[in-house]
Every structure is written in structure tokens, then in C-alpha cells.
Amino acid sequence: MTNNCSFAAVDELMKQLELAIYIPIFIIGLVSNVGALAVFCYVLPKWTETTIYMTSLALLDLLLLFLLPFKMHATNHMWPPHLQTLCSILECLYFFGIYGSIYTIMSISVDRWMAICHPFKAKQRRSRRKALGISVAVWALVSVVTSTTTSSFRQSTGHTSIHCFHSFSPRGWRPVVIVCVEVLGFLGPAVVVVFCSVRTIRALQRSEQRSAQGRACIRYVYSSLCAFLLPLTPSHLAILLQFLVHQGVIEKCGSQAAISLFLQLALCLSNVTCCLDALCYYFITAEVKSSRLSSTFAIHRRTACSSSEL
């Protein structure tokens, strides 16, 4: 990466933009996710596979929201060197929250596709115990991967102050790390989510029964797909572009400054997923309160199964 380029103007602009973005996300996300947990635990008549996944997703969103005040402070302040361990832990938790959410949304998409498009297999393979086991497995897997990967993002600075959540070490931009982040962290789950969502929507649209529950289910699929793609696609594209900068492929200072601004802005906006997930919570709650989610799936299993086999 070219050392002669100055990004002072970009950093100064982001100091203002990050606060303007994070504060509304923190307030809206905190209210919606705490409310969602209260509804899942005390209002809905029974736990289902989907509400278990949604509870896991809400907890991951709350973890991200918990870290936003630290990110807001780190935006405008350098941290003393003795806080480097704390900074590394917070960065690890941040990436754990992001990629834990990605894999949880992927699990929800697969579970929904199985229930609607393959109802007979779903009766044997879906259960609340399995949903809980998958959620725990996602947490365990992502925690191991993020803890081992994030350790390479920051190197010891000795007595120098650190800029937490910024200025990762060159080791964090190694090809093997970026390939894992892009392919395993986003592209792979994105392909699964898009495939399952498209097949589910087509099955429901071909269904002869256009009930209110069916329309609500389609809206829920669309909302969860948007909550996944809209915040996360730009941020991972920006990571790829910044990787090209570190590899010397992009050398012009103007391009590097634009990519730096795009990266920081996209990473900020990716946190809006904590608020967009509230759309999914709303449709899940509406479905379960009207006829229970399992009954909603059962309504469409017969018609969706026959239509998907055409």
C-alpha cells in the first residue's frame, strides 16, 4: 500500500459520519431487539424452530449493539497501549457478531426452504432440539474461527497508542485471510441464502392457496433476504477493493482515498442489519400470533411440495 497517500480528509469526514450513523442504529436496534426477545420469550404461544433461530439472531444483534459505543469512542480517540488486549477482544466480538449473524440467517433460510419445499423430509429432520443444536454449533464454530483469525489483525505496538477498530496490521490483509472472509464468511452463505429464498418464494407463489399467511410468509422471505444482502454486500466488496490496494494492484492516491472512504462507510452501514432484522421479527410475530408458524408452514407444504415437483 502506498505510504505517500494521505487519508486525513477521509478520516476527518468519517468521524462525523460514523456518529451520525451509529447513534440511530444503536437506539433503534436496541429497542427492536430487546422487544423481539421479550415477544419470543413471553408473548408467542410456543417455541418453534424459526423462533429459536430468531432468538439467536437477536442475541447476536444485541452483541453488535453493545460494541457500538466502543466503536464510537474509538472513532475520535486513540487508545493507550495498555488497552490493546481489550481492543483485540472487542474486535473479535465484533466480527463474531457479524459472521455469527450471517450463518444464523443462512440456517434460517435452509430451515424455511426445507419446511416449505420438502415437507416430508422436514418432518424427520426439523425439530426444536436440532434448531437449538445448530444455533449452538454456529456460535461455537464462528467463535473459534474469529478468535484465531482476528488475532492476526493487530500486532503489538509497544508504547504507541492504538486506533481500535482501525489500522489493522498487514497480516490481517494476507490473501488466505481475505479469501476466508470473502468466500467462507460471505459468498458461500450468500449463495445458500439466495438459492433457498428464491426456491421458497417460487414455491409459495405457485401455491393455489393465496392466504394471508402465505402473503405474510413471502414478505418475510423478501425482508430477510434484503436484511442480508443490502448491508453486507457493499462491505465485503469494499474489503475486496481494499485488499487490492494492499496488494499494490490499485496505486493511485485518489482511488485509494475513495476506496478507504467506501470501506469505512460500508462497514458503518453494515451495522444497520441490527435494525433490518426487526422486519423479520415483525413478520415472524405476525405469522405465529395469527395461526402459529408451524401451522403456516403446514398450509403451504402440501401445495408447495406438489408445485415444486413439476
Side-chain angles (χ1 to χ4, degrees):
M1 186 173 178
T2 304
N3 294 323
N4 296 328
C5 298
S6 175
F7 305 102
V10 172
D11 294 338
E12 190 63 30
L13 175 61
M14 286 306 304
K15 288 181 180 181
Q16 307 301 323
L17 290 179
E18 286 188 8
L19 293 177
I21 294 171
Y22 284 150
I23 291 176
I25 289 177
F26 180 79
I27 296 174
I28 297 173
L30 184 64
V31 172
S32 62
N33 283 278
V34 171
L37 286 178
V39 169
F40 293 154
C41 295
Y42 300 108
V43 176
L44 296 184
K46 65 176 293 187
W47 285 87
T48 67
E49 294 85 354
T50 304
T51 51
I52 290 173
Y53 289 126
M54 283 296 183
T55 300
S56 176
L57 184 60
L59 291 174
L60 290 166
D61 286 341
L62 285 174
L63 174 61
L64 286 174
L65 292 168
F66 167 76
L67 296 171
L68 285 187
F70 295 97
K71 286 178 64 64
M72 286 187 283
H73 183 272
T75 298
N76 295 286
H77 301 86
M78 299 291 289
W79 288 15
H82 68 270
L83 293 180
Q84 180 166 324
T85 300
L86 174 62
C87 174
S88 298
I89 293 174
L90 294 176
E91 290 171 346
C92 179
L93 290 175
Y94 178 74
F95 289 108
F96 168 76
I98 290 178
Y99 293 102
S101 298
I102 288 175
Y103 273 85
T104 300
I105 293 175
M106 184 186 73
S107 301
I108 294 171
S109 301
V110 173
D111 179 77
R112 182 176 56 236
W113 167 71
M114 178 69 69
I116 294 180
C117 297
H118 301 279
F120 298 111
K121 292 181 180 179
K123 290 180 180 180
Q124 300 176 349
R125 299 181 181 180
R126 294 178 75 240
S127 69
R128 287 175 289 180
R129 178 175 296 181
K130 290 181 179 180
L132 180 60
I134 292 173
S135 298
V136 172
V138 166
W139 282 57
L141 175 63
V142 175
S143 64
V144 171
V145 174
T146 54
S147 60
T148 55
T149 303
T150 310
S151 61
S152 66
F153 285 2
R154 192 166 296 281
Q155 57 189 4
S156 178
T157 58
H159 300 288
T160 306
S161 297
I162 58 175
H163 197 185
C164 196
F165 296 101
H166 299 79
S167 304
F168 294 128
S169 71
R171 292 188 302 166
W173 294 99
R174 290 177 299 170
V176 63
V177 174
I178 301 304
V179 168
C180 290
V181 169
E182 293 290 326
V183 177
L184 300 180
F186 178 69
L187 287 179
V191 171
V192 175
V193 170
V194 172
F195 171 82
C196 293
S197 299
V198 170
R199 294 298 297 269
T200 300
I201 291 172
R202 287 181 177 177
L204 290 172
Q205 289 177 339
R206 288 197 299 262
S207 173
E208 295 179 359
Q209 298 185 24
R210 299 298 180 87
S211 61
Q213 290 88 354
R215 292 191 296 271
C217 189
I218 291 176
R219 289 196 298 270
Y220 162 54
V221 177
Y222 274 122
S223 66
S224 61
L225 183 61
C226 292
F228 181 88
L229 293 178
L230 291 181
L232 298 173
T233 302
S235 61
H236 285 84
L237 175 60
I239 290 173
L240 177 61
L241 292 175
Q242 186 72 355
F243 168 72
L244 296 178
V245 171
H246 280 268
Q247 294 298 306
V249 177
I250 300 175
E251 298 181 347
K252 292 183 179 180
C253 287
S255 299
Q256 292 186 11
I259 291 173
S260 177
L261 177 60
F262 178 41
L263 175 64
Q264 295 185 58
L265 187 59
L267 289 176
C268 286
L269 293 175
S270 67
N271 294 283
V272 80
T273 185
C274 298
C275 302
L276 294 180
D277 287 337
L279 294 174
C280 305
Y281 305 147
Y282 168 78
F283 289 122
I284 281 292
T285 303
E287 286 184 76
V288 176
K289 289 182 67 176
S290 62
S291 61
R292 297 190 181 184
L293 185 60
S294 57
S295 298
T296 299
F297 281 150
I299 289 174
H300 299 286
R301 284 174 186 170
R302 295 184 290 272
T303 54
C305 180
S306 59
S307 61
S308 63
E309 294 175 351
L310 294 178

